[in-house]
Amino acid sequence: MKMKGETLVILNFKTYMESTGLNALKLAQASEEVADETGITIAVAPQAADLWKITEEVDIPVFSQHIDAIEAGGHTGRILLESVHQAGAKGTLINHSEQRMELADIDMVVQKSSKVDMTSVVCTNNVDTSAAAATLKPDFVAIEPPELIGSGIPVSQAEPEVVEGTVQVIHDINPKVGVLCGAGISTGDDMKAALKLGAEGVLLASGIILAPNPKEALMGLVSKL
Ligand code: G3P
C-alpha cells in the first residue's frame, strides 16, 4: 500500500488518553467518517496494543507508530514488523522524533516494510536528515521540526523553508519518495499551506486529538482542499 500521489493525512495517536483504548477506537471511527464524507485518505496510527481491534473495526488505513529493527525471536517488549502486519497495519512511522532510531535500523525497517507492501514513513527533523532518509527509499519522508511538535505553531507557516527545502532535496535525490510535513498542524489553512509548499500531506496529532470535537477538527483540516 504505497498511497503516493494521493493527498494523505496521518493522525498519530501517540499516547494521549484521548486516543488510547476505547477512545482510540472512537477516534478511528470518527476519522473513517471524515474520510468517507470527504474522499480524503486519512490513516490513523494507534498504539500497538490498540492496532488489532482498530483494524477489525474500520476500513481506513491503520499504521503502526513504530517498528523495532529486529527479527522474530527473543526481544521482550519490542515491536516486531510481522506482529503489526498480521494485526492489519498497512504502514508504519519510522524514526519519529519521540522514538529516534539509528540509520542502519531505519534502513532495515524500511526494507522489511517494502517486502510486505507496508507503507514506510520515515520522520526527519531538518533538510539534511530528510536527504539522508530519502536515500533509503522509503515511501514517504515526514519532515517535523521537533521544537514545533505539540506547539500549535504550524510548520507550514512557521518554517516554510524547511518544508520547501525538503521537497526540493528529495525531488533531486529520489522523486519517487513522497513528502509529508508535520508539527503544529491543526487547521484547514495549515494543511493548505503544507500542500502549497509541495508536501503531499500531513502527519499530525495534538491539534485533532486534544480538540473539543476531534471529528469537527478533522473536517476543518481537510475543508480547504
Ligand atoms: O507525529 C505527529 C507529530 O509529531 C506532530 O505532533 O501534536 O504537533 O501535531 P503535533
Side-chain angles (χ1 to χ4, degrees), residues 7-219:
T7 299
L8 177 60
V9 172
I10 304 180
L11 184 57
N12 179 1
F13 285 12
K14 301 198 175 182
T15 51
Y16 292 108
M17 280 313 296
E18 290 82 351
S19 49
T20 293
L22 278 178
N23 287 340
L25 179 57
K26 285 184 198 153
L27 188 56
Q29 287 166 331
S31 303
E32 181 177 45
E33 286 166 18
V34 175
D36 288 348
E37 287 166 33
T38 62
I40 303 292
T41 304
I42 301 176
V44 293
Q47 292 161 55
D50 295 329
L51 261 176
W52 196 296
K53 178 72 182 162
I54 289 175
T55 61
E56 277 183 343
E57 300 287 337
V58 300
D59 283 330
I60 55 174
V62 180
F63 280 28
S64 183
Q65 294 180 8
H66 169 72
I67 287 175
D68 283 300
I70 52 168
E71 298 295 356
H75 304 285
T76 305
R78 310 289 289 278
I79 298 182
L80 181 69
L81 181 138
E82 288 79 356
S83 170
V84 298
H85 185 234
Q86 285 188 34
K90 301 289 185 213
T92 186
L93 305 181
I94 300 169
N95 192 47
H96 190 276
S97 169
E98 292 147 13
Q99 189 62 262
R100 285 292 190 227
M101 298 169 72
E102 291 186 7
L103 194 60
D105 292 344
I106 298 170
D107 184 42
M108 177 177 172
V109 178
V110 168
Q111 288 191 39
K112 282 189 73 174
S113 299
S114 164
K115 278 187 193 136
V116 294
D117 201 23
M118 278 175 62
T119 301
S120 52
V121 179
V122 176
C123 301
T124 57
N125 59 319
N126 60 34
V127 176
D128 289 341
T129 56
S130 299
T135 64
L136 304 178
K137 305 186 190 71
D139 296 301
F140 291 94
V141 165
I143 170 73
E144 296 196 313
E147 68 279 9
L148 295 178
I149 291 178
S151 69
I153 302 168
V155 59
S156 49
Q157 302 196 21
E159 295 190 27
E161 68 286 353
V162 178
V163 180
E164 278 176 323
T166 297
V167 169
Q168 185 58 56
V169 83
I170 289 180
H171 182 266
D172 292 347
I173 291 170
N174 185 348
K176 287 189 186 153
V177 177
V179 179
L180 306 177
C181 71
I185 303 272
S186 62
T187 68
D189 284 335
D190 303 342
M191 172 100 197
K192 200 173 159 193
L195 300 191
K196 209 167 165 200
L197 294 170
E200 290 175 42
V202 295
L203 171 60
L204 80 170
S206 56
I208 304 297
I209 294 167
L210 303 180
N213 182 336
K215 181 177 173 187
E216 221 169 70
L218 210 42
M219 272 292 188

